[in-house]
């Protein structure tokens, strides 16, 4: 194995650049609790700021060919876990039904971070509540593939989010599978300042309407308000059968936003995160309609 010093200044970590998926899984299996995957490193590098300990060993997965590929088929899109936000936004730019994901990947953080941060890292950073790609992929009904030295399995993103903090050692998220549809989708986020900040709240939505603009199907996800992003199922149900209208959708959202309790943080009081949701619903619905 190729190993080298992880950090300068006396830390004794090692950094293994895996040339293939099989070698990455072997290394993660060998390292056990001492090791972890290293994708873009943009979350890992800030561990000291969060008062978290770095792992003794990292397995760099960024140059493994199959983890860096995007495959666009007629019925689904497969995204390798090590695809960066910038590469993803550029590859999906011409697919209108994936506008929600293009916008999530293309508007998060800042250009330098987007060139490094990966979609797999965004989904796997279990204590990161403001990840843009998580609600975007929830509203797209995405599945994820998880591999270990002993095999692989596919599960819904929702199931993955419920178990990611206790995922067995040696496991790696390898790809994200997004079914294609004719839905209209959009991503609306509210950063504290104009750019470069984590969002206070996120609404990602995917809507299907009939020829008279009545909603047939709705999937709406809320990010950054609670600790983990989740679907807003009551709002989805309330919108069914109604004419798609941004102001009306915001009114309905205002009546339901009380089900969210904002997470504690130093940036804003908890109530503020839930209070901005109706405005984001209005913006996202208007964007989905192309208004
Ligand atoms: C200043 C700044 C602002 C940012 N703003 C935003 C923002 O607004 N919105 C947003 O979405 N993101 C934002 N980010 C990026 C975000 O914070 C994370 O840093 C990023 O999404 C993590 O991706 P990564 O590839 O760098 O992961 P890494 O830092 O490499 O890893 C993150 C965690 O996931 C694990 N991991 C990585 N890949 C895998 C895998 N394939 N399988 C299993 N586990 C894995 C790692 O072991 C680690 O625990 C910002 C980052 C910075 C520094």
């Amino acid at each position: 194995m190729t190993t080298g010093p992880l950090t300068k200044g006396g830390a004794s970590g090692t950094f293994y650049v895996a040339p293939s998926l099989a070698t990455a899984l072997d290394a993660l299996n060998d390292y056990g609790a001492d090791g972890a995957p290293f994708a873009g490193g943009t979350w890992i590098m800030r561990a000291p700021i969060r008062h978290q300990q770095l792992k003794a060993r990292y397995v760099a997965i960024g140059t493994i060919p199959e983890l860096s590929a995007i495959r666009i088929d007629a019925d689904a899109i497969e995204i390798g876990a090590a695809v960066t936000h910038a590469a993803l936004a550029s590859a999906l730019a011409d697919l209108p039904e994936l506008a929600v994901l293009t916008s999530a990947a293309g508007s998060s953080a800042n250009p330098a971070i987007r060139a490094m941060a990966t979609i797999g890292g965004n989904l796997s950073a279990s204590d990161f509540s403001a990840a843009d790609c998580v609600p975007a992929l929830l509203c797209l009904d995405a599945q994820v593939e998880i591999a270990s030295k002993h095999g692989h399995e596919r599960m819904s993103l929702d199931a993955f989010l419920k178990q990611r903090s206790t995922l067995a050692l040696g496991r790696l998220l390898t790809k994200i599978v997004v079914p294609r549809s004719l839905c209209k989708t959009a991503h609306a986020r509210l950063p504290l300042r104009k750019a470069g900040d984590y969002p206070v709240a996120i609404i990602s939505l995917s809507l299907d309407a009939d020829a008279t603009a009545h909603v047939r199907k709705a999937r709406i996800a809320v990010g950054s308000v609670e600790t983990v992003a989740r679907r807003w199922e009551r709002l989805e149900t309330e919108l069914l059968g109604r004419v798609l209208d941004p102001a009306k959708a915001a009114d309905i959202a205002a009546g339901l936003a009380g089900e969210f309790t904002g997470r504690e943080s130093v940036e804003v009081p908890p109530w503020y995160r839930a209070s901005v949701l109706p405005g984001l619903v209005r913006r996202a619905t208007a964007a989905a309609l192309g208004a």
Side-chain angles (χ1 to χ4, degrees):
M1 285 182 187
T2 313
T3 55
L6 171 63
T7 55
K8 294 178 182 159
S12 59
T14 61
F15 190 83
Y16 168 55
V17 180
S20 68
L21 182 54
T23 55
L25 294 173
D26 277 346
L28 287 168
N29 188 65
D30 290 350
Y31 294 165
D34 289 339
F38 185 104
T42 64
W43 183 254
I44 292 170
M45 75 175 182
R46 298 185 122 198
I49 299 172
R50 299 189 300 271
H51 306 291
Q52 290 173 347
Q53 256 203 312
L54 286 166
K55 292 281 185 184
R57 288 154 187 222
Y58 283 103
V59 178
I61 58 170
T63 54
I64 298 174
E66 64 258 59
L67 298 191
S68 309
I70 301 175
R71 185 175 152 162
I72 302 176
D73 287 332
D75 54 352
I77 291 166
E78 296 192 357
I79 306 162
V83 169
T84 64
H85 288 217
L88 185 61
S90 149
L92 303 184
D94 293 331
L95 301 176
E97 86 267 22
L98 293 180
V100 61
L101 187 55
T102 308
S103 170
S107 60
S108 67
N110 57 54
I113 297 292
R114 290 199 289 273
M116 299 296 294
T118 66
I119 186 159
N122 205 240
L123 304 191
S124 301
S126 50
D127 40 4
F128 178 35
S129 304
D132 276 275
C133 295
V134 176
L137 287 164
L138 277 175
C139 89
L140 290 172
D141 203 12
Q143 298 208 309
V144 296
E145 210 158 280
I146 308 296
S148 74
K149 189 179 157 76
H150 309 291
H152 57 90
E153 64 175 316
R154 201 177 270 198
M155 63 181 81
S156 69
L157 174 58
D158 191 42
F160 172 70
L161 294 176
K162 290 196 170 89
Q163 55 179 271
R164 69 181 168 179
S165 58
T166 54
L167 212 58
L169 294 171
R171 298 179 93 204
L172 188 65
L173 193 162
T174 51
K175 73 169 126 165
I176 297 101
V177 183
V178 183
R180 297 194 67 179
S181 75
L182 295 174
C183 292
K184 295 172 184 304
T185 71
H187 186 74
R189 65 202 296 275
L190 181 72
L192 268 185
R193 288 178 293 244
K194 233 183 155 108
D197 254 354
Y198 293 135
V200 167
I202 303 168
I203 289 284
S204 297
L205 52 77
S206 166
L207 300 168
D208 179 37
D210 64 17
T212 56
H214 288 81
V215 178
R216 282 192 293 221
K217 208 174 115 199
R219 282 181 72 96
I220 301 169
V222 177
S224 201
V225 173
E226 298 177 335
T227 312
V228 182
R230 67 167 167 101
R231 298 256 305 277
W232 194 349
E233 288 173 357
R234 287 179 68 200
L235 180 58
E236 292 171 2
T237 307
E238 282 296 325
L239 291 182
L240 286 183
R242 292 180 188 267
V243 172
L244 206 44
D245 172 65
K248 184 68 194 160
D251 277 354
I252 297 170
L256 299 174
E259 77 176 63
F260 290 91
T261 305
R263 61 192 162 92
E264 295 287 343
S265 68
V266 289
E267 301 108 38
V268 291
W271 60 264
Y272 183 69
R273 293 185 192 273
S275 74
V276 301
L277 287 175
L280 289 175
V281 167
R282 181 172 29 74
R283 269 177 47 200
T285 309
L289 285 169

